[in-house]
Amino acid sequence: MRAVVYRGPFDVEVTEVPDATIEQPTDAVVRITTTNICGSDLHMYEGRTSVEEGTVFGHENMGVVEAVGGAVTRIKVGDRVSVPFNISCGTCRNCSQGWTSFCTSLNPTEGVDGAAYGYANMGPYPGGQAELLRVPFADVNLLELPPGSEHENDFTMLSDIFPTGWHGTVLARQQPGDDVVVFGAGPVGLMAAHSAMIRGAARVFVVDKEADRLALAGKIGATAIDFSAGDPVEQILDATDGRGTDCGVEAVGYQAHDPSGEEHPELVLDNLVKVVRTTGGIGVVGVYMPEDPGAATKDAQEGRIGFDYGTFFTKGQHMGTGQAPVKRYNRQLRDLIVAGRATPSFIVSHELSLDAAVDGYKHFDDRDHGWTKVLLRPGA
Ligand code: NAD
Ligand code: ZN
Ligand code: ZN
């Protein structure tokens, strides 16, 4: 089958790899209809992880079930499904509490709980930027979708970034009527903003400097804050009579930069601590790494990000972090889409064949104007 394979920093190739097959009786094989490129893929693409050469990328997958193992009972051949990026056993201490993003039994990497497709340190599971994908524990992991092709570009956000954005607002303990700030207008930040609106925010401020992404935030009724035009904290304090927001979501990660493009791993956490009111919540879904030799500061190379903890404590704020447990939200978010109450497809900018993935990676990594969210169609 054709697949997107990592060759080295800034180098992916679309090439032939062995077909995905049923390896365990609890597996399914899914024929991929849509698979997305994610900001998380860029950490690997840029050579900032220990991902192995030859890894098939792709953790944002959906498609139609092609085959099931003998022990699969709920999922049937022909079902249209969304595949959560977390691979969950369903029964370990964390999975049974709904923390499928921290499954203790499927990732052999020392010190890491949680497994995913096509990702560094997340276990030996090839990704779905390919024609076929092997899904372990199919009955646990797969979410059924209405048959046909309706809402394809909305449903494709259910495997990762819509639940991730939603999770950011849950970690921030957003309440109806809150003013919410989201740092980052990338796909994840825009999904957090969309989620915050659906969850009843009074106002949502979205901070970035990319004009095309800020325009999308404006399109869904959020207030765009351009951090290249002035201190984003001051702009938001001005707009809230000096109160700040009730809560905030971090959707940038440790590769945050200043207006000149220089990397400052602690910048967004510091801004959040300043702009969120006393006793307010901060949900961090942007990724921070325990190690990255290419990080901007010596501390950050060892995963130490020195944000203003003193102010955080003095303001009595709280913070939640980590990979999103997709399964906890994806059924409800699917039903919001079906009911017409959520339309996460508003961020889609490009729909490419799998063979065009090399170009897709390059433009998305360069944050080229208009390249907000890239979908790949292996069947096209
Ligand atoms: P992205 O890189 O396209 O978006 C990040 C955005 O942040 C960019 O638009 C960039 O201009 C902006 N930005 C940079 N510095 C900033 C600053 N100082 N202030 C405000 N905005 C700033 O990526 P994405 O796909 O939206 O992903 C965002 C983060 O979420 C990544 O770290 C990704 O790995 C992570 N992620 C986490 C999960 C999870 O489960 N927790 C899931 C998916 C993605
Ligand atoms: Zn993703
Ligand atoms: Zn588990």
Side-chain angles (χ1 to χ4, degrees):
M1 64 176 182
R2 310 280 295 161
V4 178
V5 173
Y6 178 69
R7 289 299 177 215
F10 303 98
D11 187 9
V12 290
E13 183 189 12
V14 183
T15 187
E16 282 296 317
V17 301
D19 276 1
T21 56
I22 303 285
E23 294 175 20
Q24 299 289 333
T26 44
D27 288 353
V29 169
V30 172
R31 181 163 294 278
I32 300 296
T33 53
T34 303
T35 175
N36 317 325
I37 304 178
C38 176
S40 295
D41 292 322
L42 300 181
H43 307 308
M44 298 186 292
Y45 179 75
E46 292 177 1
R48 301 186 62 152
T49 70
S50 56
V51 71
E52 282 169 30
E53 193 274 328
T55 298
V56 175
F57 280 174
H59 60 270
E60 300 193 356
N61 305 307
M62 69 178 288
V64 174
V65 176
E66 175 100 349
V68 294
V72 175
T73 55
R74 190 175 66 85
I75 294 294
K76 306 272 183 277
V77 170
D79 284 352
R80 185 185 187 209
V81 290
S82 169
V83 189
F85 81 88
N86 330 107
I87 311 174
S88 155
C89 75
T91 55
C92 72
R93 280 175 86 99
N94 285 335
C95 286
S96 60
Q97 296 294 309
W99 287 107
T100 54
S101 39
F102 299 93
C103 177
T104 61
S105 61
L106 296 181
N107 186 351
T109 313
E110 201 180 326
V112 186
D113 285 341
Y117 302 94
Y119 212 82
N121 295 327
M122 299 295 272
Y125 308 99
Q129 288 170 13
E131 290 172 273
L132 298 167
L133 174 72
R134 171 186 166 234
V135 176
F137 298 101
D139 278 338
V140 174
N141 286 301
L142 291 175
L143 173 76
E144 293 106 314
L145 301 171
S149 58
E150 205 185 352
H151 291 308
E152 183 85 5
N153 290 2
D154 291 309
F155 289 147
T156 195
M157 304 308 167
L158 290 172
S159 55
D160 178 352
I161 62 170
F162 191 17
T164 293
W166 191 275
H167 188 53
T169 68
V170 172
L171 290 175
R173 300 188 203 157
Q174 182 201 336
Q175 298 294 318
D178 275 0
D179 281 346
V180 182
V181 61
V182 177
F183 279 82
V188 172
L190 290 169
M191 289 298 98
H194 192 42
S195 301
M197 310 279 274
I198 295 169
R199 299 187 72 218
R203 285 182 295 180
V204 180
F205 300 94
V206 178
V207 183
D208 207 304
K209 73 172 181 359
E210 306 296 336
D212 53 334
R213 296 178 171 205
L214 288 172
L216 284 174
K219 211 169 127 185
I220 59 165
T223 304
I225 302 287
D226 179 354
F227 75 80
S228 68
D231 181 359
V233 172
E234 279 172 23
Q235 294 185 58
I236 294 166
L237 288 174
D238 280 351
T240 54
D241 298 327
R243 251 181 312 122
T245 63
D246 297 292
C247 61
V249 177
E250 203 292 7
V252 179
Y254 77 117
Q255 293 181 31
H257 49 254
D258 65 17
S260 73
E262 198 176 315
E263 246 177 70
H264 288 280
E266 75 301 332
L267 181 64
V268 174
L269 293 175
D270 271 341
N271 281 339
L272 275 161
V273 166
K274 281 187 205 147
V275 80
V276 170
R277 68 166 164 80
T278 47
T279 76
I282 298 170
V284 182
V285 288
V287 162
Y288 288 77
M289 298 276 195
E291 58 182 335
D292 172 5
T297 63
K298 192 166 177 310
D299 277 349
Q301 289 167 14
E302 297 169 358
R304 295 171 187 279
I305 310 288
F307 73 101
D308 182 355
Y309 186 82
T311 299
F312 174 68
F313 177 88
T314 303
K315 291 177 87 170
Q317 295 167 333
H318 50 87
M319 189 181 279
T321 63
Q323 302 275 356
V326 167
K327 225 178 115 61
R328 188 182 285 198
Y329 311 111
N330 62 359
R331 182 185 58 74
Q332 295 92 322
L333 298 185
R334 174 198 66 191
D335 293 349
L336 283 173
I337 291 169
V338 170
R341 296 251 299 113
T343 48
S345 60
F346 77 90
I347 63 171
V348 173
S349 60
H350 291 79
E351 301 170 62
L352 307 178
S353 71
L354 194 69
D355 282 322
V358 176
D359 251 12
Y361 268 91
K362 192 181 173 323
H363 290 295
F364 182 54
D365 186 53
D366 289 345
R367 310 290 187 300
D368 279 345
H369 188 82
W371 287 74
T372 313
K373 188 69 179 175
V374 182
L375 314 188
L376 303 173
R377 296 262 152 72

